[in-house]
Amino acid sequence: MRRTKHYRLAAAVLLAAAMSLTACSAGSSGGSEAKSAGKTSLTVALTGPPTNLDFTRTAGAAIPQALMSNVYEGLVKIDQDGRIQPSLAESWTLSDDRKTYTFKLHPGVTFSNGEAFTADDVKFSLERVKTGWVSSLKTKMDVVDSIDVLSDSEVEVKLSRPSNAWLFDMGTPVGAMFDPSGVQDLANKPVGTGPFTVESWKPGEAIAMTARDKYWGQAPKVKTLTLRYFADATATTNALRSGDVDVVYNMQAPELLPTFESDKSFQILDGTSNGKVELTMNNKVAPFNDVRVRRAVMYAIDRKAVLDTAWSGHGTLVGAPVPPTDPYYEDLNGVYPHDPGKAKALLKEAGAENLKITFTVPTRPYATAVSQIVVSELADVGIDATIETAEFPAVWLDKVFTKHDYQMSVILAVESRDLLTAFNNPNYYIGYDNSKIKDLAQTADAADEAGYVEGMKKVVRTITDDAAVDVLFLFPNLIVAKADVTGLPKNSVTEALDLTAAGWK
Amino acid sequence: MSEPTAAESVPQFSLPGLEPGPEPAAVVARRGRRKVSATLIVGAAVVVLVVLAALVSFFWTPYDPVKAFPVDRLQGSSAAHLMGTDRYGRDVFSGILYGARITLMVGLISVGIALVIGTPLGILAGMRGGFTEEATMRGADILLAFPALLVAIMFGAVFGASTTTAMVAIGIGSIPGFARVARSGTLQVMSTEYVLAARASSQNSFRIARRHVLPNIAGMVVVQCSVTFALAVLAEAALSFLGLGTPPPVPSWGRMLQESQQFLGTFPMLAVWPGAAIAVAVLGFNLLGDGLRDKFDPKLNGER
């Protein structure tokens, strides 16, 4: 009897002690002073490991994040400002009817299995998107009519209609170039033209890459590159402090940054990403099938306060589902200023006072953080939102994304240039009535570059005017790294994490 | 499980050679102390404190515990905010008061479920014996082998995370404890002469259970309640920490702890307050349980 009592007392005291101890221990150990001279390896910490290495058959951003640019390359690539740059194609021309692209390929390019990269591989790779891919991204190649090999180094792609979006997509994973003899085991052995090859892959743990000897372009700065996967943001920053990793990419906990800001042995890069934190309202279901109620929500939410509280002020306010790296971006923050009075008036006009709604929140840190401030601000204008948590990804994808069984939700949409995927499709889970933008979008895609930008801006303004979605803020691309690491890509413009220029001072 | 002797509880007086007689003063002292058991008093005081916090939250909290005041976020302790504010500018003290309500509710309901189901099953097993006993107790063993927290996580996944699923899961997970305690107590009572007498006078089983068994095992069951309550408080905190308990924005100590996790390096007090609240509440119910055990345990009764 006595003994158990003492145990229990001891346990309770220990618990209390442990709680206060953990509170003090984090952030006390210093960063390691790296001797960077002559370093030839770089280790990057990431969260969310890939399930295999084949992005042609498996959805999710983790695989292209690791492999695009590093192992695979496309004819073109997207630079840090979202512009299209030559890659495997030295140059290209566009016919007058804007439907035929002629690419001139870079000479002397080889795959990591030794095969030469030729126009035949371009034809093979692009046709394989339609026949061999099982990802939803494959629709991006639907516009391709035919591919003709003109010579070993020249290839002609005919589109069924002019498309500005297509060339950009060629710089994303769907444009990756494969060798016909190298696609047997993509899930384990990727074969690409990039500067690195996958040396080893431990599922759920790490991908190790080594630099190729015979790379056609600028050789990478490091010989070995390791991507290590961690359970959460705290684990990644702990690994950085203990010197196990050199870089934490796309850090998911901005609250942890202050402890690094004051430390000279670390650097912080705060770039932009494509990640739009969207407060989605089911446009087809009451009460959000009424544009006045949706507008009321837009006026009710103080997006600056959301950004400051939920994400410690890191991120960008955009006011529309378009990141600044898209050509048709414009600052639309002024359309719906924070105005609870106007929100209440709109709700009254719509006959939707004392509204009760269900707010389905996926179990992700950003979503939980955002949901509580949103609920508080909705309460201020008389909308009583009850939070219902949905396990992410399985339950959320099934309930909200697939079955459209929700009123309000919040999600981070990471796909690049997904404006039309999300809004030019009434069967998408947001359920936006696209009748007003359908023709605008079609005309814009077929127009010349200036016309494209102008047309797409009109599309964005229409969507914003209809309050189809409340884009709370643009996710930051936070990178914490040892101070002497250079060449890291600050912005995340496509899915790729391009480490070909990363190295040491 | 040997009964404590005077020597064990007060060793400094019981060293051989120092004690002159067979009736040491320590025994007398201990008898005296048991009547005013410090454990019981401290435990009861802490529990009363938690109950008071919960009751007060119904009428008054310094601020609305749910409403965000972004301008006042992440403040330290001050006269305006006793325990400071969190990332949304919500008053932590208000959250702690309100959280006591959730904590108590989860404790009461889950202990209630376990009590109402576990105790009758245990008495039934103890009185009937044979197959009934085997079936019930092996069932309890199986349930016990399955961690209660895992049951709760499963419930959360299937029915959606909410305070209700957490309460039911914790309650179900606590049934075996009650069944075991009730059964072992019943077995003891059943072997007494007055029960034999009652059975000889052909009283029915239900009457024996009500008149003789229940009053005699009540003490043990009360102790079990208090101990289970402490475990339930901890389990609720753990579930909320994992995002499977009380959904936001309703304040719960476990979730307050979880939300402060990322701020450990910058605003450590955010984690200390809910952590301390959980620790104090668990300690309180455990002490209360131990104090009650000293009072009620039939094994100790004999000594008095």
Side-chain angles (χ1 to χ4, degrees):
Chain A
M1 282 299 142
R2 289 270 138 192
R3 194 170 282 249
T4 41
K5 173 188 281 185
H6 286 155
Y7 267 133
R8 203 168 289 134
L9 242 170
V13 170
L14 258 174
L15 178 80
M19 277 167 176
S20 51
L21 268 180
T22 47
C24 313
S25 64
S28 49
S29 66
S32 56
E33 274 306 321
K35 293 176 194 70
S36 58
K39 266 200 177 186
T40 56
S41 68
L42 187 74
T43 307
V44 179
L46 296 165
T47 46
T51 47
N52 63 55
L53 300 180
D54 184 3
F55 58 72
T56 70
R57 292 177 166 271
T58 310
I63 313 171
Q65 179 185 55
L67 301 183
M68 256 331 256
S69 298
N70 299 324
V71 173
Y72 293 112
E73 292 171 308
L75 294 181
V76 297
K77 66 177 181 189
I78 313 301
D79 72 9
Q80 282 279 290
D81 301 313
R83 285 187 304 253
I84 300 167
Q85 303 290 354
S87 181
L88 290 176
E90 263 181 352
S91 61
W92 60 90
T93 53
L94 178 58
S95 65
D96 288 340
D97 65 356
R98 305 186 59 79
K99 285 208 267 189
T100 308
Y101 283 92
T102 312
F103 294 96
K104 188 168 185 319
L105 305 183
H106 209 284
V109 177
T110 55
F111 285 98
S112 59
N113 63 358
E115 297 287 327
F117 168 71
T118 63
D120 289 317
D121 298 317
V122 178
K123 186 175 165 70
F124 166 77
S125 301
L126 294 186
E127 282 175 351
R128 191 170 170 273
V129 173
K130 286 188 181 179
T131 55
W133 284 48
V134 287
S135 156
S136 63
L137 295 172
K138 65 188 281 186
T139 55
K140 293 190 169 185
M141 283 295 146
D142 286 353
V143 66
V144 175
D145 218 24
S146 65
I147 302 142
D148 296 310
V149 176
L150 303 180
S151 72
D152 262 4
S153 62
E154 273 185 309
V155 65
E156 191 181 82
V157 180
K158 284 203 175 73
L159 306 181
S160 56
R161 58 177 170 81
S163 171
N164 286 290
W166 179 77
L167 192 62
F168 180 88
D169 292 337
M170 287 294 287
T172 66
V174 277
M177 289 298 138
F178 297 89
D179 178 49
S181 63
V183 295
Q184 283 75 28
D185 191 14
L186 288 180
N188 297 297
K189 292 192 170 50
V191 176
T193 60
F196 291 98
T197 52
V198 173
E199 185 69 26
S200 71
W201 170 50
K202 292 182 200 150
E205 210 176 305
I207 299 176
M209 304 184 199
T210 46
R212 286 174 56 197
D213 295 333
K214 290 181 188 162
Y215 179 57
W216 61 274
Q218 175 95 45
K221 301 263 186 352
V222 291
K223 290 269 174 279
T224 57
L225 180 65
T226 311
L227 306 179
R228 283 187 57 188
Y229 293 90
F230 291 85
D232 55 49
T234 317
T236 60
T237 52
N238 287 344
L240 180 63
R241 282 191 184 284
S242 65
D244 287 348
V245 302
D246 306 311
V247 178
V248 177
Y249 183 78
N250 196 5
M251 215 265 279
Q252 299 272 326
E255 306 85 31
L256 297 174
L257 283 181
T259 53
F260 290 97
E261 275 163 0
S262 51
D263 195 332
K264 284 274 181 290
S265 51
F266 296 106
Q267 57 176 326
I268 295 171
L269 301 179
D270 189 346
T272 67
S273 75
N274 282 307
K276 301 158 284 283
V277 179
E278 296 179 345
L279 184 67
T280 50
M281 298 169 265
N282 193 337
N283 283 216
K284 283 189 173 168
V285 165
F288 298 117
N289 53 358
D290 186 332
V291 66
R292 290 170 297 190
V293 179
R294 296 201 300 269
R295 282 183 187 144
V297 170
M298 303 289 268
Y299 284 117
I301 306 288
D302 180 357
R303 280 166 286 275
K304 176 88 172 72
V306 172
L307 181 64
D308 285 349
T309 56
W311 225 238
S312 299
H314 292 278
T316 319
L317 298 173
V318 282
V322 182
T325 43
D326 281 0
Y328 43 86
Y329 166 80
E330 63 181 321
D331 184 348
L332 292 174
N333 281 306
V335 180
Y336 297 100
H338 181 223
D339 189 345
K342 205 159 183 172
K344 278 185 204 165
L346 276 165
L347 287 171
K348 194 173 178 183
E349 193 189 313
E353 288 160 296
N354 300 320
L355 207 54
K356 276 195 194 317
I357 59 157
T358 306
F359 186 10
T360 311
V361 179
T363 51
R364 303 298 294 165
Y366 69 87
T368 316
V370 157
S371 65
Q372 305 201 43
I373 177 91
V374 165
V375 166
S376 174
E377 298 197 320
L378 290 180
D380 282 346
V381 300
I383 300 177
D384 178 8
T386 307
I387 292 179
E388 167 199 74
T389 50
E391 195 263 327
F392 189 88
V395 176
W396 187 88
L397 281 177
D398 177 59
K399 189 178 153 73
V400 178
F401 194 79
T402 309
K403 294 185 181 148
H404 307 183
D405 175 19
Y406 79 108
Q407 286 182 305
M408 179 182 272
S409 188
V410 59
I411 196 69
L412 175 69
V414 292
E415 290 78 11
S416 54
R417 305 227 178 149
D418 60 348
L419 185 79
L420 296 180
T421 328
F423 298 99
N424 199 14
N425 176 3
N427 296 321
Y428 196 67
Y429 81 104
I430 292 173
Y432 176 63
D433 173 11
N434 68 335
S435 51
K436 276 192 259 178
I437 62 162
K438 205 171 162 188
D439 296 336
L440 278 176
Q442 178 101 35
T443 324
D445 200 23
D448 61 6
E449 211 155 319
Y452 175 61
V453 170
E454 221 24 71
M456 286 301 281
K457 276 186 178 170
K458 266 184 215 157
V459 171
V460 177
R461 279 187 225 126
T462 311
I463 292 170
T464 309
D465 184 56
D466 281 339
V469 69
D470 191 347
V471 180
L472 298 171
F473 60 91
L474 200 66
F475 224 55
N477 190 41
L478 292 172
I479 305 172
V480 189
K482 289 180 181 163
D484 40 8
V485 178
T486 59
L488 294 169
K490 185 179 175 190
N491 299 335
S492 165
V493 183
T494 62
E495 291 90 332
L497 164 55
D498 182 348
L499 291 168
T500 52
W504 298 86
K505 256 179 207 160
Chain B
M1 286 291 266
S2 67
E3 289 175 26
T5 63
E8 268 179 327
S9 46
V10 214
Q12 65 268 40
F13 293 123
S14 64
L15 290 171
L18 287 177
E19 295 298 331
E23 173 72 38
V27 173
V28 181
R30 200 176 106 246
R31 276 179 191 154
R33 208 170 55 224
R34 171 164 286 158
K35 277 178 188 153
V36 285
S37 163
T39 328
L40 187 61
I41 292 177
V42 174
V46 171
V47 170
V48 166
L49 191 74
V50 176
V51 174
L52 270 181
L55 287 179
V56 164
S57 78
F58 277 99
F59 308 104
W60 172 84
T61 50
Y63 298 85
D64 182 342
V66 178
K67 190 167 161 47
F69 296 95
V71 188
D72 300 326
R73 71 182 176 280
L74 294 171
Q75 290 183 358
S77 295
S78 66
H81 298 282
L82 215 53
M83 298 181 182
T85 59
D86 69 2
R87 72 193 303 176
Y88 304 103
R90 299 180 303 198
D91 183 49
V92 175
F93 182 56
S94 303
I96 294 282
L97 285 181
Y98 198 99
R101 204 197 289 187
I102 302 291
T103 298
L104 280 184
M105 185 173 77
V106 171
L108 277 176
I109 307 266
S110 51
V111 167
I113 291 172
L115 175 74
V116 167
I117 299 176
T119 316
L121 278 179
I123 295 176
L124 189 73
M127 287 180 70
R128 274 285 185 74
F131 176 75
T132 317
E133 182 176 21
E134 279 299 311
T136 316
M137 298 324 291
R138 293 304 79 79
D141 286 348
I142 292 170
L143 203 55
L144 209 61
F146 209 70
L149 218 52
L150 205 62
V151 177
I153 290 171
M154 199 177 74
F155 265 56
V158 177
F159 301 109
S162 75
T163 318
T164 317
T165 51
M167 288 188 300
V168 172
I170 298 170
I172 291 177
S174 311
I175 291 175
F178 279 86
R180 283 187 166 184
V181 164
R183 171 180 162 268
S184 70
T186 307
L187 285 178
Q188 281 177 24
V189 178
M190 290 303 280
S191 63
T192 56
E193 283 161 4
Y194 55 84
V195 171
L196 282 177
R199 289 168 82 176
S201 65
S202 68
Q203 288 184 12
N204 68 32
S205 301
F206 183 71
R207 190 177 157 86
I208 295 175
R210 199 167 53 86
R211 288 284 299 271
H212 300 295
V213 178
L214 209 51
N216 274 297
I217 65 166
M220 297 165 81
V221 173
V222 168
V223 172
Q224 180 69 17
C225 281
S226 187
V227 174
T228 309
F229 209 108
L231 292 174
V233 169
L234 209 54
E236 194 277 334
L239 285 176
S240 295
F241 187 90
L242 295 172
L244 290 163
T246 313
V250 179
S252 134
W253 293 347
R255 222 195 44 259
M256 289 170 79
L257 196 61
Q258 186 247 325
E259 282 173 6
S260 54
Q261 190 181 217
Q262 312 284 20
F263 292 93
L264 281 178
T266 39
F267 299 93
M269 289 312 282
L270 271 180
V272 170
W273 294 119
I278 295 166
V280 165
V282 170
L283 184 68
F285 282 102
N286 270 329
L287 289 177
L288 183 70
D290 277 345
L292 289 172
R293 192 198 309 273
D294 286 354
K295 264 198 135 36
F296 288 132
D297 197 311
K299 283 185 189 155
L300 299 176
N301 277 348
E303 270 183 43
R304 206 179 277 169

